Amino acid sequence: MDSEKRLSNIEKRQLKIFLLAAYGFTFLMGLPLGIAYKLGLDTYPFPNAQMFYPAAGVMLACLITKRRPGGEGTEESAAMPKGFFIFFVVFTALMALCCFVNFALPSGSGMGTAVQSYGIIVGSVLAWIFLLAEGKKRRASYGLCWSGTGRSLLMLLLFVTIYLARSFLSVALGGQLGEYLPYWQTSAPYILMAVLIPNFFLSFAAFFGEEYGWRYYLQPLLQRRFGPVRGTVLLGVVWGLWHLPLDLFFYSPGYALQSIAAHQVTCITLGVFFAFAYMSTGNIWVPVALHFINNNMAVAVSGSAQMSGYAVAWLDVLLSLVLNGAIFLPFLLAGVFRRGPAAAPSREEGSRQAE
């Protein structure tokens, strides 16, 4: 094995901490999730809280080892945005506690979801305050600065275009285009898309919670170990399996195998584009925004979005594989995947850009 591909002792320790938080705690929370589902309680707080665990895992790893991801050598704690990290970890714990509120209330009250929803808004606003208070140098040192505005905005525009084209193509193939065209002749979809912009700033913490873990931390590690393409695909598999408790007890409990397969298709194919966007820009806020758009555009496109208890047929999985595969997998041929992670702006370069 090439020495550059081996994990250092610090990296091994950080990886263990990350996996315990992102995976261990996720699967542990699957137990009360399953009980809540069996009791007919509101289970919405569980997926909302789960989105925070990956980033909290990265932050705990950095706080405990006092190093940036992969950091060896001299002490780096002085450059760490500790205030933001500690706030986010505490806030994640509060989000997890919201999952248990509904156990103490009458079935159908939905109090846990309501408390958590308002909490995410308040927490996101406070997270911005803590983050901005850290200063550019500390933010840049841990990949938290916005960079490459032109290219970053282009990635967002490209994804929105792809999302809309894919949605209309899917509807057309399903023979439902006639039902959707009248809706797009009203002002509703355009208003809903415009509302997404302020909504992002009021709920970004949940999407940052995933992307800071998957794209900022785990993607470079896996790509260095297995290569840019294989590392990206493996990350998609890991990301998909992370949804397992939700597949069993939230999204489609009656179609668990199909839901698991569907998440593998979605996370691998969508993960390719997210990886492409992050490697091309070196800007973690791009995949954060892409994740937000992907999860929320459905409301604007169709006027409604069902999150749980829906049926998933194997034909749906196959069509998703064909459609998403044809759209996103060709991005693996992009030059950034041939050159590797080093082709994207490094964290040190991001620091210089921020100063």
Side-chain angles (χ1 to χ4, degrees):
M1 184 190 303
D2 189 275
S3 60
E4 293 184 358
K5 295 181 179 180
R6 294 195 186 103
L7 295 181
S8 67
N9 291 331
I10 288 291
E11 287 177 312
K12 290 177 182 178
R13 190 180 177 196
Q14 289 179 332
L15 181 59
K16 289 177 183 178
I17 297 169
F18 170 78
L19 291 177
L20 282 173
Y23 260 87
F25 192 69
T26 292
F27 281 80
L28 182 64
M29 289 293 288
L31 297 176
L33 169 59
I35 295 172
Y37 167 70
K38 293 296 183 182
L39 294 176
L41 301 178
D42 181 13
T43 55
Y44 271 81
F46 287 90
N48 291 337
Q50 185 170 320
M51 295 179 74
F52 288 83
Y53 303 158
V58 177
M59 294 173 184
L60 281 171
C62 293
L63 288 167
I64 292 172
T65 63
K66 299 181 180 180
R67 298 290 191 277
R68 287 182 294 183
E72 279 279 20
T74 59
E75 178 68 50
E76 295 177 340
S77 60
M80 187 184 302
K82 285 184 179 179
F84 174 66
F85 278 11
I86 292 172
F87 168 79
F88 198 93
V89 170
V90 172
F91 184 59
T92 298
L94 294 175
M95 290 294 99
L97 286 176
C98 287
C99 298
F100 296 94
V101 172
N102 290 323
F103 283 95
L105 297 172
S107 179
S109 68
M111 185 60 69
T113 301
V115 170
Q116 191 185 60
S117 297
Y118 287 112
I120 289 175
I121 295 174
V122 173
S124 292
V125 173
L126 291 175
W128 284 122
I129 295 173
F130 273 92
L131 183 60
L132 293 174
E134 295 291 352
K136 287 185 178 181
K137 187 173 182 179
R138 288 184 178 180
R139 292 199 303 271
S141 183
Y142 280 75
L144 294 168
C145 275
W146 174 274
S147 61
T149 298
R151 185 176 294 183
S152 296
L153 292 178
L154 180 62
M155 288 294 169
L156 297 179
L157 179 61
L158 175 60
F159 185 72
V160 170
T161 303
I162 290 175
Y163 188 101
L164 292 174
R166 182 187 60 175
S167 298
F168 278 101
L169 180 59
S170 179
V171 168
L173 292 174
Q176 300 172 314
L177 193 58
E179 302 174 18
Y180 282 85
L181 285 179
Y183 168 70
W184 278 88
Q185 292 173 354
T186 69
S187 61
Y190 309 102
I191 293 175
L192 289 172
M193 282 192 287
V195 169
L196 289 179
I197 297 175
N199 280 353
F200 170 76
F201 293 96
L202 295 175
S203 63
F204 88 97
F207 304 94
F208 173 84
E210 284 204 47
E211 292 306 315
Y212 197 65
W214 304 134
R215 244 55 63 178
Y216 171 77
Y217 171 68
L218 198 55
Q219 178 178 301
L221 188 150
L222 291 178
Q223 288 182 328
R224 200 185 80 206
R225 176 64 180 81
F226 298 101
V229 172
R230 286 186 296 173
T232 297
V233 174
L234 180 57
L235 176 59
V237 174
V238 169
W239 185 22
L241 292 176
W242 176 78
H243 291 85
L244 185 60
L246 302 179
D247 291 323
L248 296 175
F249 304 117
F250 181 76
Y251 290 120
S252 305
Y255 305 84
L257 290 178
Q258 294 94 318
S259 183
I260 293 170
H263 262 117
Q264 283 296 309
V265 170
T266 299
C267 291
I268 292 173
T269 56
L270 198 62
V272 167
F273 188 84
F274 284 11
F276 165 74
Y278 182 46
M279 295 170 71
S280 298
T281 63
N283 185 350
I284 190 58
W285 296 105
V286 171
V288 171
L290 293 178
H291 199 146
F292 171 83
I293 293 169
N294 182 73
N295 285 29
N296 290 277
M297 274 285 284
V299 178
V301 169
S302 63
S304 64
Q306 183 180 0
M307 283 188 63
S308 67
Y310 55 85
V312 180
W314 284 112
L315 181 59
D316 297 326
V317 177
L318 178 60
L319 291 176
S320 176
L321 175 61
V322 173
L323 189 59
N324 287 322
I327 292 174
F328 294 119
L329 292 184
F331 282 98
L332 288 172
L333 301 176
V336 70
F337 284 103
R338 292 194 301 271
R339 295 189 296 269
S346 66
R347 288 162 185 161
E348 288 73 17
E349 287 173 339
S351 300
R352 290 195 295 270
Q353 291 171 7
E355 292 176 347

